[in-house]
Amino acid sequence: MPSYPIDMNVKPDVKAFFDPMTNTISYVVKDPQSASCAIIDSVMDIDYAAGRISYTHADEMIAYVEKSKLDLEWIIETHVHADHLSAAPYIKEKLGGKLGIGSKIKVVQDTFGKIFNEGTEFQRDGSQFDALFEDGDTYQVGTMTCVAIYTPGHTPACMVHVMGNAAFTGDTLFMPDGGSARADFPGGDAGTLYDSIQKVLALPDDMRLFMCHDYGPNGRDIRWETTVGDEKKFNIHVGQGKTRDDFIAFRTERDAQLDMPRLIIPSLQVNMRAGDVPKDPFGRKMLKVPVDSL
């Protein structure tokens, strides 16, 4: 396993914001030694049937940052989400900060640029973002050194972001009783996902893990924080030393039974553009619906 510059003595303050419409958890992560912070996996609200977007969830995070007198330095996307829309441009306009994602966003843009029949005006080079992270890249949030770990499998651009003793897993892992994310989207792969999960489980056992989604399996309350040690012991898909072959077999069978996420069509179009809603030639916000393509 690669060695990453992780300092477990750094203990950032983490504030979670749960969006019940998409079961997404977004985070404000504060450097313990300064007022600097990062926002991870923000949500833009959409009434898909009515074709209306709003910013209630993002405004809640913005109000928290302002009330706490924090300085937003980074807006991080763990991957190109297929189940909610990013509010990154809206937050950046209000609070500043740089927007970062994994460098394999270019693969996602190329794949879905074709599916959505995007023209040459849609740039597929990741230039919509301020930073494209490679495996092991570091960046600063105040005095805190953060590291991006490449964890493909759910999508080609997935990354886990480690900030001190806290790691933000995106969709690579769920809570122990939730297991793992699907691997059947274009560019996904169950074996690759298993390998990526092993990179996360190789982190220190007391590393705090923060999920991007939780669905309250078996009716329990929504939760979003666990540890590497608990995932290794109790994760229903990869815990207790489950093998790669077993995981691939299970994940492949399970994914074949899953419906597409309700918001996959608007989410991919918006999120591959770093949260910007596409426009038609007249400047009107407009989404496409590809038929028999996903």
Side-chain angles (χ1 to χ4, degrees), residues 40-61:
I40 299 177
D41 290 336
S42 64
V43 174
M44 177 171 67
D45 307 299
I46 184 170
D47 181 340
Y48 193 26
R52 295 191 185 97
I53 59 175
S54 58
Y55 299 97
T56 301
H57 187 266
D59 283 338
E60 184 181 357
M61 300 184 78

Side-chain angles (χ1 to χ4, degrees), residues 105-115 122 124 272:
I105 177 63
K106 292 178 279 189
V107 176
V108 176
Q109 289 175 330
D110 184 61
T111 298
F112 289 104
K114 295 172 183 174
I115 289 175
F122 172 54
R124 295 161 170 83
M272 70 182 183

Side-chain angles (χ1 to χ4, degrees), residues 125-138:
D125 58 1
S127 57
Q128 300 88 344
F129 298 83
D130 298 309
L132 302 181
F133 298 116
E134 301 285 352
D135 186 44
D137 279 354
T138 61

Side-chain angles (χ1 to χ4, degrees), residues 173-196:
L173 271 176
F174 292 158
M175 293 295 292
D177 58 348
S180 62
R182 64 196 300 164
D184 61 332
F185 293 153
D189 181 82
T192 302
L193 178 58
Y194 180 88
D195 296 339
S196 293

Side-chain angles (χ1 to χ4, degrees), residues 11-17 25-29 40-41 78 159-175 200 206-214 223-228 231:
K11 301 176 181 179
D13 301 318
V14 180
K15 173 67 174 177
F17 296 81
I25 305 99
S26 307
Y27 299 96
V28 176
V29 189
I40 299 177
D41 290 336
T78 56
M159 301 199 89
V160 169
H161 287 259
V162 180
M163 303 179 175
N165 75 340
F168 300 86
T169 65
D171 286 6
T172 300
L173 271 176
F174 292 158
M175 293 295 292
V200 178
D206 55 347
M207 175 71 74
R208 295 184 290 162
L209 298 181
F210 293 90
M211 309 295 109
C212 185
H213 296 286
D214 188 66
R223 297 173 54 209
W224 48 76
E225 180 179 353
T226 183
T227 65
V228 168
E231 291 281 16

